[in-house]
Amino acid sequence: MLDFVRRTAADRELVDSLPLDPEGRTWVRLEGPGGSEAWLIGWPPGTGTGWHDHAESLGAFATARGTLTENALAVRLPASGWKTLELADGLDRSRRLGEGGGRAFGRHHVHEVLNESTDTHAVSVHAYYPPLPLMRRFSRAGAVFRLEQVERPEDWQ
């Protein structure tokens, strides 16, 4: 999947075809390899996903334009049975992915993706396998992590 998102992010014609909105993220669903789902996503300056995971899906993303920041946790959260957790010290990871930069991740990966630019749109390509069965969204206040919402595919189609 990482090769796919990098190749797709390098497709200037496709990337340039994405309609960009100055205030909100935009996206187009793509055909992913081997039954995966894929998305081309536009990020206005100052936007982000908030903390979330991808349930049982593996994933990859690559930046096609601009720079994205990924903040992630180096811990597997329980799949169910909790609403609030206190995170231990040393679990935070951060990386910046400029144009052409990409990364793959495994099941239960918890992260947020941000366009921290104040004036430049970013565009990225994301792929997930199996297609996302759900996403859990979280809030964070310091070390306290709280499950806020569970989204299903029909919520973002």
Side-chain angles (χ1 to χ4, degrees):
M1 281 192 299
L2 184 56
D3 288 342
F4 167 79
V5 297
R6 283 183 170 148
R7 271 192 325 274
T8 305
D11 181 338
R12 289 286 118 208
E13 185 176 340
L14 176 66
V15 170
D16 290 345
S17 75
L18 180 68
L20 301 177
D21 183 318
E23 296 182 21
R25 288 190 301 148
T26 54
W27 56 87
V28 173
R29 188 163 182 166
L30 306 171
E31 280 297 316
S36 66
E37 75 176 280
W39 299 88
L40 179 64
I41 301 175
W43 307 77
T47 59
T49 60
W51 287 96
H52 66 282
D53 71 5
H54 306 97
E56 296 289 326
S57 296
L58 305 170
F61 72 96
T63 304
R65 181 184 301 148
T67 300
L68 293 172
T69 299
E70 180 196 35
N71 297 317
L73 295 178
V75 65
R76 181 176 173 172
L77 299 179
S80 63
W82 67 279
K83 286 294 246 176
T84 303
L85 294 173
E86 187 164 345
L87 301 171
D89 289 338
L91 298 177
D92 289 292
R93 304 291 183 267
S94 186
R95 72 180 76 207
R96 291 176 55 82
L97 298 167
E99 192 168 313
R103 62 121 51 248
F105 53 85
R107 291 172 169 77
H108 308 288
H109 182 67
V110 178
H111 69 168
E112 66 176 349
V113 179
L114 309 163
N115 178 4
E116 296 179 313
S117 173
T118 59
D119 60 0
T120 303
H121 242 88
V123 177
S124 58
V125 178
H126 301 246
Y128 308 99
Y129 183 83
L132 295 173
L134 60 88
M135 286 176 57
R136 295 186 300 175
R137 296 209 174 264
F138 308 99
S139 63
R140 183 173 184 183
V144 177
F145 219 64
R146 179 182 304 277
L147 175 63
E148 297 291 345
Q149 181 179 5
V150 177
E151 294 179 0
R152 304 220 178 270
E154 56 271 16
D155 298 326
W156 61 76
Q157 293 297 330

